[in-house]
Amino acid sequence: MRHLAILGSTGSIGTATLAVVAAHPERLRVVALAAGRNRDLLKAQCEAYRPRCVSVSSQVDADWLRGELSYRPELHWGPEGLLACALHPDADTVVAAIVGSAGLASTEAALRGGRRVCLANKESLVVGGALMHEAALAGGGELLPVDSEHAALHQLLADRDPATIREVRITASGGPFRDWPLARIQAATVAEALNHPTWKMGPKITIDSATLMNKGLEVIEASVLFGLTPDQVAVTVHPQSQVHAMVGFHDGSYHLQACANDMKLPIQYCLLYPEKLPGPVPAYPWDQPATWTFEAPDLLRFPCLGLAFAALRAGGTAPAILNAANEVAVAAFLEGRIGFWDIQACNSEALAHLPVAPVGSLLQVLDADRAARSHAEGWVQTRT
Ligand code: MG
């Protein structure tokens, strides 16, 4: 039996995780739930799974929940509440699904506390990089990637001698603007950018999929997770989103991982690893005719992907700077304060102008994150 703390329970990964729990009640139990502002859904989740520990973003919402619930869990709020859930003594497995760098400290604490961390918060690895490995090593924690491409790589790379590997490739759907001409992309609206062709996800990651920044963050994530050089990680555009990753060996052969594009599958893989229990998705219908296509990404129309490779090569705090600038730019775009093409301009400007330092501690990385945020916010204000 695994005992779960789910951080970000009302988001798309959190709700998919609860669906996996519901399918395997004999193997998975919910001990703690943490959510942001969606208190109505959190209340329903609490009544259904009766976690002993619950956290929300504000004291007001915690008080509201205390009055609404039919039982009496421990109630927490704010960043301390996230930590209380992540380190709850009854939880051995933490699903880290908070969006953005807000999820960093709880991921680090869970790894340092010896938990299995099923990581959907890719920012922890993009921003925190080596620090997360250190925390896992120091505390005996275990890091398993929920991101579909990285869960695929985890399966493909298991027990492989690193010396035999030439490269890994993660696939990208290409997003809603894959075949749009540059001028049309530059003028894209919020509604157009939110209209993702193959995955249903939260707004931040959906915009990141339209700019290909999501794939750029995943390139950095793959490099950190599997100890690969920037030259060993590549991206292939595959609009059908059925192949999630591939590993190329020095002998010229490739191994591919394929499955339906349903996040419940990588989530279940991480929760129950190394077991593979009967699945949350049906077998692939191989007898029906289908066409899978593969193409190279266009860095001129999707410059954010090139920026991510540049940040990975620069190392140190460069990925943290890029990630922070991008969070500010995407929020400003969603609020209608800047245009779609301004996202890459904001990111490129921050990466070019902010000093890059080696990464020493979590506090220092969070400082770089804050500095990049305020720089990017200043840049956004010059545009509005
Ligand atoms: Mg992904």
Side-chain angles (χ1 to χ4, degrees), residues 16 20 148 198-199 241 244 259-267 280-282:
V20 174
S148 58
T198 53
W199 292 98
S241 298
H244 301 286
C259 62
N261 51 344
D262 184 326
M263 285 308 293
K264 291 197 291 296
L265 210 146
I267 290 168
V281 299

Side-chain angles (χ1 to χ4, degrees), residues 122 147-150 171 199 205 214-215 218 221 263:
K122 62 191 71 170
D147 218 343
S148 58
E149 299 80 358
H150 305 78
T171 61
W199 292 98
I205 189 172
N214 180 55
K215 210 48 55 180
E218 289 181 354
E221 185 186 2
M263 285 308 293

Side-chain angles (χ1 to χ4, degrees), residues 192-363:
E192 288 167 335
L194 284 176
N195 184 27
H196 196 275
T198 53
W199 292 98
K200 287 280 158 267
M201 307 172 290
K204 160 72 166 57
I205 189 172
T206 304
I207 300 302
D208 284 347
S209 299
T211 60
L212 290 201
M213 178 53 89
N214 180 55
K215 210 48 55 180
L217 297 176
E218 289 181 354
V219 165
I220 299 172
E221 185 186 2
S223 162
V224 172
L225 258 176
F226 302 110
L228 301 160
T229 67
D231 291 331
Q232 281 181 300
V233 187
V235 173
T236 292
V237 175
H238 167 51
Q240 296 78 24
S241 298
Q242 301 292 316
V243 173
H244 301 286
M246 18 185 145
V247 173
F249 297 89
H250 284 300
D251 69 358
S253 68
Y254 278 81
H255 292 192
L256 280 59
Q257 193 267 356
C259 62
N261 51 344
D262 184 326
M263 285 308 293
K264 291 197 291 296
L265 210 146
I267 290 168
Q268 176 172 313
Y269 172 76
C270 291
L271 291 177
L272 296 171
Y273 175 82
E275 287 182 280
K276 272 190 180 276
L277 292 192
V281 299
Y284 186 81
W286 287 105
D287 294 334
Q288 285 169 26
T291 304
W292 290 357
T293 59
F294 301 93
E295 63 197 52
D298 179 353
L299 297 185
L300 289 176
R301 289 183 301 131
F302 301 99
C304 285
L305 182 56
L307 291 175
F309 273 103
L312 178 60
R313 288 203 165 86
T317 51
I321 291 168
L322 178 63
N323 177 68
N326 184 61
E327 283 188 27
V328 170
V330 170
F333 172 66
L334 284 169
E335 289 161 8
R337 296 168 65 207
I338 59 172
F340 183 77
W341 200 245
D342 288 329
I343 297 173
Q344 61 82 31
C346 178
N347 295 345
S348 163
E349 205 276 342
L351 207 52
H353 286 92
L354 286 164
V356 173
V359 169
S361 69
L362 191 59
L363 276 179

